[in-house]
Amino acid sequence: MINVLYFARLKDTLGIAAEEIDPVASNGKVDITDVASLRERLCQRGERWQNALSQQRLMTAVNQEMAQADTPLADGDEVAFFPPVTGG
Amino acid sequence: MPHIHVQAEDFDTQAIISKLTAGHGEIGAIVSFTGLVRDLPGQSLQSMTLEHYPAMTEKALAEIVESAMQRWDLIDVAVVHRVGELQPSDRIVLVVTSSAHRREAFLACEYIMDYLKTRAPFWKKETTSDGEHWVDAKNSDGEATSRWE
């Protein structure tokens, strides 16, 4: 399972802080192999998810390191989606 | 050894500087930056809440500090960042850099703040009489890092 976390405004918009996603799709094949394919799977949920996850400066981390669309994902990884950070 | 802490409690800047310098006679320069919660016009900020990604914050700060220590000849660095609910004028963040001479300490302190502002997973939420709203990231923060590249 891939552990997916959402933070800040994104968490409020989507109404969820964390969930587990099975990289194996309903047809029995692994269709989540990187950040981009995970986003695609989540966007299948509908317009609210598509809008939230296509925002221009969305940031992603995989196993607590900043990641890109092509960062590979494996079973057991942790992915976090969040808006641009505003600490400091 | 860099001191990196993410915590709800307030920090004591002088105590941290003392700890950093103890036994290090080779330190000739200490630079510190403190970030405060700035009030909104008309003193309308009721509180500011810092959310964060617990598993990642100290790791991200450690990477930024490590990068600064590789780039400049620093003796030690401390970074403390608070989380949770804060009031106007409260301390949010402290960056302390130390080196033999001042140039490295000044540059590294600014570098660490520029990268903390764009890479460390914290998010500010302001509470006013209108309710709560998430602070937007500033373009100027994103641009600030490019001058180090």
Side-chain angles (χ1 to χ4, degrees), chain B residues 57-104:
Chain B
T57 41
E58 287 188 2
K59 197 170 170 178
L61 292 174
E63 280 174 13
I64 294 167
V65 169
E66 170 67 22
S67 166
M69 292 186 87
Q70 282 184 9
R71 186 160 170 157
W72 289 286
D73 193 7
L74 304 173
I75 292 159
D76 209 350
V77 175
V79 177
V80 182
H81 198 301
R82 294 177 68 190
V83 292
E85 190 180 301
L86 302 175
Q87 303 303 312
S89 300
D90 274 359
R91 283 172 283 271
I92 304 171
V93 64
L94 175 72
V95 175
V96 181
T97 53
S98 63
S99 52
H101 304 287
R102 70 187 185 285
R103 186 172 184 273
E104 293 79 7

Side-chain angles (χ1 to χ4, degrees), chain A residues 1-63:
Chain A
M1 297 299 266
I2 293 173
N3 199 24
V4 186
L5 309 176
Y6 307 94
F7 289 94
R9 185 189 276 133
L10 189 66
K11 177 179 70 176
D12 289 352
T13 302
L14 297 173
I16 179 173
E19 61 176 322
E20 290 194 316
I21 300 286
D22 191 342
V24 178
S26 44
N27 63 8
K29 291 191 179 161
V30 172
D31 70 346
I32 296 178
T33 52
D34 59 13
V35 168
S37 49
L38 170 62
R39 274 183 44 211
E40 258 181 58
R41 170 85 79 81
L42 295 171
C43 286
Q44 285 168 18
R45 292 173 172 175
E47 205 179 320
R48 183 161 54 104
W49 285 82
Q50 280 163 33
N51 291 339
L53 297 181
S54 346
Q55 59 187 274
Q56 220 179 8
R57 297 191 299 162
L58 187 74
M59 296 176 89
T60 314
V62 173
N63 297 330

Side-chain angles (χ1 to χ4, degrees), chain A residues 5 7-9 11-12 57 59 61 63-66 78 80 82-88, chain B residues 51-53 55-56 59 63 81 93 116-120 122-124 134-137 139:
Chain A
L5 309 176
F7 289 94
R9 185 189 276 133
K11 177 179 70 176
D12 289 352
R57 297 191 299 162
M59 296 176 89
N63 297 330
Q64 302 93 41
E65 302 271 350
M66 286 301 186
E78 177 170 286
F82 42 86
V85 301
T86 54
Chain B
E51 181 175 314
H52 73 300
Y53 177 4
M56 187 175 170
K59 197 170 170 178
E63 280 174 13
H81 198 301
V93 64
L116 185 159
K117 288 289 226 180
T118 52
R119 299 251 177 101
F122 299 93
W123 300 273
K124 289 172 177 162
W134 293 100
V135 171
D136 284 319
N139 286 335

